[in-house]
Amino acid sequence: MNRKYLNRLSKFAIVAAVISITACKEEGGMAPEYMPDMYRSPSIETYVDFGELRGNYSDTNYTNKMTARQPVSGTIPRGFVPYGYENTPEGYELAGQNLKNPIAYNDKVAADGKELYGMFCVHCHGKTGQGDGTLVERDKFPPIPTKFVEGLALTEGKMFHTITYGKGLMGSHSSQLNKEERWKLVHYIRTAFMKEVVVQDTNVAVVDIIEEVITEVVEEAPVVEEHGH
Ligand code: HEC
C-alpha cells in the first residue's frame, strides 16, 4: 500500500466520521434529510401525512396535507341509519324497552342467523348457548355470565344493544355486523335457545330496514320533470 492511498483513505475516514456524528445530532433522533423528496414524495399521497415522520411532527409546512380527509363531524354515510341509544346503562334500558325486531322471521332469516352465530358468537356462547364455547372450555376466556336459556327474560332490544356496543367482556360487533345481521342473530338466539315461538312470516324479510333506506334515497333524489314528446 503506498502512502498516497493511505492518505486518501484517512481523509475519507475523517469525512465519514464527521457525517456519521453530525447525522445523529438532530433533536428527536432525526437526521437531516438527504434528498427530502425521497421521504416526502411530491406526488399526491392519500394516507401519508408528510409533516409526520415516525410520530414526530418535524415540518409543520407539510402537516396534514394528505388527500384522504376526515368527514365533517356529524355527517353520516348515505343509507346509514344512526343508532339512537347511547352506550350507557340508561341507553341499554331504553333500548330494551323501545326496540323491537324489525325483521320478519322466516326460515331464511333463521338459517342466516345460525350461520352468523357460527361465525361470530359460538366460540364464546357455545353451540347450545350456555356459554360453553371452545374459548371458555379451553380456559382462554372466563366463564360467560349470560346463558341463553328457555324463558325470555332478556328483551330483544337489550340483546341488540349488547351486540352493537358490547357488554362487560364482550366486545362491540357493530363493525363486523350490520343492523340486519344483528337482528337476525337476535331472532336466532331467541328461537333456538330461548325457545321463543315466532309466527313464520313468508313475506320478504328485512322489510323495515331496507324500506327505511329506500324512502330516504327517493326523497333525496332530484325531481326530474317529464317532457312530453
Ligand atoms: C369473546 C367472547 C364473546 C363473543 C365472541 C360474543 N359474546 Fe356475547 N357475551 C359475552 C360475555 C362475556 C357476555 C356477558 C356480558 C356481561 O353481562 O357482562 C355476553 C353477553 C351476551 C348477551 C347478553 C346481553 C345482555 O344484555 O345481558 C347477548 C345477547 C350476546 N352476548 C350475544 C352475542 C352475539 C349475538 C354474539 C355474536 C355476534 C356474541 N355475543 C359474541 C362474550 C362474547
Side-chain angles (χ1 to χ4, degrees), residues 83 89 91-97 99 153-164 167 183 186 190:
Y83 180 63
Y92 174 75
E93 292 301 330
L94 271 179
Q97 284 162 26
L99 287 183
L154 196 59
T155 63
E156 294 179 330
K158 283 185 175 174
M159 295 172 76
F160 185 85
H161 193 87
T162 296
I163 307 172
T164 303
K167 182 170 184 253
W183 281 122
V186 171
R190 297 180 75 80

Side-chain angles (χ1 to χ4, degrees), residues 92-93 96-97 146-159 190 193-196:
Y92 174 75
E93 292 301 330
Q97 284 162 26
T146 303
K147 302 201 184 331
F148 302 131
V149 288
E150 286 188 42
L152 298 160
L154 196 59
T155 63
E156 294 179 330
K158 283 185 175 174
M159 295 172 76
R190 297 180 75 80
F193 308 130
M194 297 160 84
K195 307 291 178 210
E196 183 171 39

Side-chain angles (χ1 to χ4, degrees), residues 117 120-127 129-137 139-149 154 162 167-171 173:
Y117 186 85
F120 292 99
C121 325
V122 74
H123 43 286
C124 285
H125 287 283
K127 282 207 174 88
Q130 301 296 301
D132 52 352
T134 43
L135 282 180
V136 178
E137 289 196 331
D139 284 338
K140 304 289 180 211
F141 199 83
I144 311 262
T146 303
K147 302 201 184 331
F148 302 131
V149 288
L154 196 59
T162 296
K167 182 170 184 253
L169 287 179
M170 175 175 158
H173 284 70

